[in-house]
């Protein structure tokens, strides 16, 4: 009987597809979070009509979260188009 070899264990860690997709995301997220939490001063932000005073890190975190949601929706749409 032939011995079955595990190809995943022979593949270098950084060459695996899941790691290659996750590594840039983790790196950009870490840099973004460091940037967000280093900016702790209060700023005045105008939202259409009201003017709000809030910490800059809060505004940056909200913008980052909205960007992540936009990316998720874009990726899901692309994947659903491929299956059709």
């Amino acid at each position: 009987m032939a011995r079955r070899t595990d190809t995943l264990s022979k593949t270098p860690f950084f060459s695996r597809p899941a790691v290659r997709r996750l590594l840039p995301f983790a790196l950009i997220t870490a840099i973004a979070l460091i940037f967000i939490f280093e900016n702790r001063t209060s700023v005045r932000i105008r939202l259409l009509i009201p003017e709000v005073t809030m910490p800059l890190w809060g505004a940056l975190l909200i913008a980052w979260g909205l960007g992540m949601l936009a990316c998720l929706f874009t990726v899901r749409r692309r994947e659903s188009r491929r299956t059709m």
Side-chain angles (χ1 to χ4, degrees), residues 20-37:
R20 291 183 72 173
R21 279 192 304 259
L22 185 63
L23 195 62
F25 170 76
L27 184 65
I28 291 170
T29 298
I31 291 170
L33 289 175
I34 289 169
F35 178 75
I36 287 169
F37 290 114

Side-chain angles (χ1 to χ4, degrees), residues 28-49:
I28 291 170
T29 298
I31 291 170
L33 289 175
I34 289 169
F35 178 75
I36 287 169
F37 290 114
E38 285 297 318
N39 291 295
R40 294 177 288 197
T41 60
S42 290
V43 293
R44 290 173 30 195
I45 301 171
R46 186 171 180 91
L47 302 169
L48 297 178
I49 296 175

Side-chain angles (χ1 to χ4, degrees), residues 52-77:
V52 179
T53 301
M54 65 185 301
L56 183 58
W57 67 265
L60 291 171
L61 194 60
I62 290 169
W64 177 75
L66 291 173
M68 293 303 293
L69 284 174
C71 287
L72 285 174
F73 288 132
T74 303
V75 168
R76 283 189 180 171
R77 256 185 109 185

